[in-house]
Every structure is written in structure tokens, then in C-alpha cells.
Amino acid sequence: MQYSIIPFEVKLPDQSDFTFDVHALRVCLEKLLDKRGCEGRIYALAPLLTIAVLAKLAGHNQMRAVAHWAKLQARNLTNLFDLPHLTMPHHTTWSRILGETMDINQFEAVIANFFC
């Protein structure tokens, strides 16, 4: 299944200004089951999902835009999440991860629970 848009919604509190702990979001996302096999897995699921949420919050809804934003932020994101690689996934990898490797409904539920 290939997606060209990010297939989830982030519903934010009604307040126009809010803050949240990015690492706490990552911890929540670590609860999700990663359906990928170990072979060829370069990126851990939770940090990538956190990056996808950050990209979505930054207004990026297309996979190519998410991939480009992540690439531009690679150094910061690598440092923030202590990632082993400075490179970010290609947009097809983002599509595969968000389209096939986890349950989108469960993902949305975790996000909704975190932000509410």
C-alpha cells in the first residue's frame, strides 16, 4: 500500500499555544507494534513516527514533503533522538512505514491520547 499523504490526523488541544515533551511522545509511540522484519531495518519505528508527527505539526502532509523536511532537519533530529545515522528515510520508506508497518488506527489512538 503506497500513500502520497500522511494517513493520520493530529488533533491538538483547543489552545493556540501549547508545549509538549517530544521524548514523552516517542515513549508513547514505542508501544506500537512494528510489523517489519529485522532484515534491512535501518530506522527504529518510534523515532520515525515521532518525526512524522513533528512534520505533520509543521504543516507537511505529503510524503515527499515529510521526507524533505526530515532531510533538512536531519542533524537536529539525529541529535534529538540519538539516531545511529545522519540520513533520513526516502519518501518511499515513509510511505511503507506509515502504510504497512503498523496499525494506523492504533497510531491515531496513541496520538489522540497523548495530546488530550
Side-chain angles (χ1 to χ4, degrees), residues 92-112:
T92 57
T93 302
W94 287 104
S95 294
R96 190 173 56 256
I97 287 169
L98 293 170
E100 300 171 8
T101 64
M102 46 101 199
D103 182 334
I104 289 292
N105 293 327
Q106 184 184 20
F107 177 55
E108 284 184 334
V110 169
I111 296 296

Side-chain angles (χ1 to χ4, degrees), residues 8 17 34 50 57 96 114:
F8 66 90
D17 293 332
D34 188 346
T50 307
L57 291 173
R96 190 173 56 256
F114 179 81

Side-chain angles (χ1 to χ4, degrees), residues 14-34:
D14 291 334
Q15 303 165 351
S16 60
D17 293 332
F18 71 98
T19 59
F20 67 95
D21 183 344
V22 174
H23 292 290
L25 175 59
R26 178 184 177 174
V27 169
C28 286
L29 293 171
E30 287 174 352
K31 299 172 188 172
L32 296 174
L33 175 66
D34 188 346

